[in-house]
Amino acid sequence: MITALASLPRVGMLLSRVRVEEKLLLAELERRHITVETIDDRTLVLDLSRPRREWDVVLARSVSHSRTLYGLRVLGGWGVPTVNRHAVVATCGDKLLTTMALIEHGVPTPRTQLAFTTEAALEAVDATGYPAVLKPVVGSWGRLLARLNDRHAAEAVLEHRETLGSPQHAVFYVQEHVDKPGRDIRAFVVGDETICAIYRHSPHWITNTARGGRAENCPVTPELDALCRAAARAVGGGVLAVDLLESPQGLLVSEVNDTMEFRNSIDTTGVNIPGRIVDYVLAVARQEVAA
């Protein structure tokens, strides 16, 4: 059990490489005279029988979901507070677990079906209606998403996934295609506050900024704020990005991300996102916020 701090906290940052986001976070911590140890997951060795407690908090910024997941499990078991918590990363890193958490907490989300064989998946796509969206349960940056416009496309893509043969491709996550207005919304939630949001515009149906989407400031309305905070609470809270779709029935939460990129959203929104993240991390270190 880590007790209340009498001095500046000792912060660790678990990462794979120092990207723009990590540079911004490190600069913000340096500005506050906080000593940070970067923990490179490519060289990290955790001796499970020899607990290490030299950090008051560890901020997870690794690009690898599996390294983050297992690293945080070990650190949490040693009593080291982490942002985000292992349970949050486990839920957000798996689209099925995220969807179930949203449904169980009454958060509106696109209709989703799960199947385990190509035959059953084809039935699920037919029942969903065309176009439908096929997603990997684990993945980011809009990779391996497929829009199935008709049965011929569904048969071809499902056969391809089956041929790949990996356990990940043996789980078929089929979601209704939401006819969004050429954009979606990404909102940033820190603790229990929606600090800002952006529209992501793209002529392509995948609007991720990593895939060329254009960012524009999105006002945080009371409706958007309430829905984003509900989605964050559903997955366990922390520092999160909530992705939403504007549907004819209203806003739908499509995903919640635990290690988000934010470089394109700072100037767009005018919000010091790394500063707000560091505020939260230090609050966790000082036990002002429960990890």
Side-chain angles (χ1 to χ4, degrees):
M1 182 71 179
I2 296 177
T3 58
L5 303 176
S7 58
L8 294 176
R10 302 161 299 171
V11 176
M13 187 181 296
L14 179 65
L15 45 73
S16 306
R17 59 180 183 266
V18 181
R19 302 170 296 170
V20 173
E21 283 79 7
E22 287 70 53
K23 289 178 181 177
L24 292 168
L25 290 163
L26 290 168
E28 185 68 29
L29 287 160
E30 181 180 1
R31 186 180 68 79
R32 304 184 192 201
H33 308 290
I34 304 293
T35 300
V36 187
E37 179 183 353
T38 55
I39 308 167
D40 190 333
D41 62 19
R42 295 168 297 181
T43 59
L44 178 64
V45 176
L46 297 170
D47 186 337
L48 305 188
S49 62
R50 297 178 181 273
R52 298 168 58 186
R53 300 187 181 93
E54 60 259 43
W55 310 286
D56 297 308
V57 65
V58 169
L59 173 60
R61 291 296 310 175
S62 173
V63 299
S64 167
H65 171 65
S66 59
R67 294 176 190 176
T68 303
L69 187 67
Y70 296 124
L72 296 190
R73 176 61 183 89
V74 174
L75 292 169
W78 289 347
V80 178
T82 62
V83 177
N84 288 305
R85 293 182 296 110
H86 169 267
V88 175
V89 172
T91 299
C92 293
D94 186 304
K95 292 181 179 62
L96 184 276
L97 298 185
T98 301
T99 299
M100 289 303 300
L102 294 172
I103 292 171
E104 289 163 358
H105 286 79
V107 178
T109 189
R111 180 190 178 193
T112 303
Q113 300 193 71
L114 188 71
F116 301 106
T117 66
T118 54
E119 295 79 10
L122 193 57
E123 291 184 17
V125 176
D126 285 342
T128 300
Y130 297 94
V133 178
L134 182 66
K135 297 181 179 181
V137 289
V138 177
S140 58
W141 298 314
R143 294 176 299 193
L144 296 180
L145 270 64
R147 183 168 66 180
L148 310 177
N149 292 325
D150 53 40
R151 187 178 176 90
H152 293 299
E155 290 172 346
V157 172
L158 290 171
E159 180 183 6
H160 178 70
R161 296 285 171 90
E162 182 182 41
T163 303
L164 288 174
S166 72
Q168 178 180 339
H169 291 115
V171 177
F172 300 97
Y173 177 101
V174 179
Q175 198 166 72
E176 67 172 318
H177 179 266
V178 176
D179 188 16
K180 58 192 179 184
R183 69 186 188 189
D184 66 5
I185 298 171
R186 165 158 286 192
F188 297 89
V189 180
V190 177
D192 196 37
E193 181 183 355
T194 309
I195 63 170
C196 60
I198 60 169
Y199 291 116
R200 300 187 296 186
H201 296 270
S202 176
H204 195 278
W205 69 279
I206 300 175
T207 54
N208 300 57
T209 54
R211 298 281 294 268
R214 175 176 60 84
E216 176 191 1
N217 184 54
C218 172
V220 179
T221 64
E223 177 192 11
L224 179 62
D225 175 50
L227 186 55
C228 291
R229 289 189 294 111
R233 288 193 297 268
V235 300
V239 174
L240 301 162
V242 180
D243 292 343
L244 306 100
L245 305 173
E246 300 167 278
S247 80
Q249 293 75 40
L251 290 173
L252 303 174
V253 175
S254 60
E255 295 184 17
V256 185
N257 300 274
D258 61 272
T259 310
M260 71 283 196
E261 296 176 349
F262 52 80
R263 70 186 73 178
N264 296 316
S265 303
I266 300 170
D267 291 340
T268 303
T269 63
V271 174
N272 181 4
I273 298 174
R276 298 301 301 272
I277 294 173
V278 167
D279 287 342
Y280 184 84
V281 169
L282 297 181
V284 169
R286 295 172 177 138
Q287 299 187 15
E288 297 165 359
V289 175

